[in-house]
Amino acid sequence: MEDRLKNLKKAMDQRAFSQLNFTEKHRRNIREKINQQTENDEDILLAVMLLLVHEKTGFELTKLLRGRGIRKFEDNEGFLYTFLHRLEQSGSIQSSWTEDEAKYYQLTDIGRKVLRKIEKKQNKKQVVLKELFER
């Protein structure tokens, strides 16, 4: 674990979690849930499209997706490029090569429309969940 994360954990243990006591079984259950791949295709599509509002390489995209907790591409980066190829075939993204032979991906106008639809759908889900929990 990085030093800055160790320091954060130490500070949180001293302040935020000082009153909490977790059993080892509870810790294991939490770790299992964190490590489960629960992202669905729609969540992945939304994340990819949000990231491609600005031009990115596949490598940059993989790092940013990992940072968002999406690990589906981690062991199989070929899957990401297949996914990007499908988006390109649908007209949602376009790719271009630079002089240094790096391939960049970015949303097209069609992709922006699709992104707005997905975002609206996500917002509706959040409203429904919020209403359910406020009752």
Side-chain angles (χ1 to χ4, degrees), residues 73 76-89 105:
F73 306 115
N76 186 4
E77 288 181 14
F79 184 77
L80 174 64
Y81 292 102
T82 302
F83 189 74
L84 291 171
H85 183 71
R86 278 198 212 136
L87 288 175
E88 193 170 9
Q89 293 291 317
Y105 300 90

Side-chain angles (χ1 to χ4, degrees), residues 4-22:
R4 64 187 177 99
L5 293 177
K6 286 180 183 175
N7 291 336
L8 175 64
K9 182 184 180 314
K10 185 178 177 182
M12 289 182 76
D13 285 343
Q14 291 172 349
R15 293 187 186 103
F17 301 127
S18 63
Q19 303 298 318
L20 296 176
N21 293 316
F22 293 107

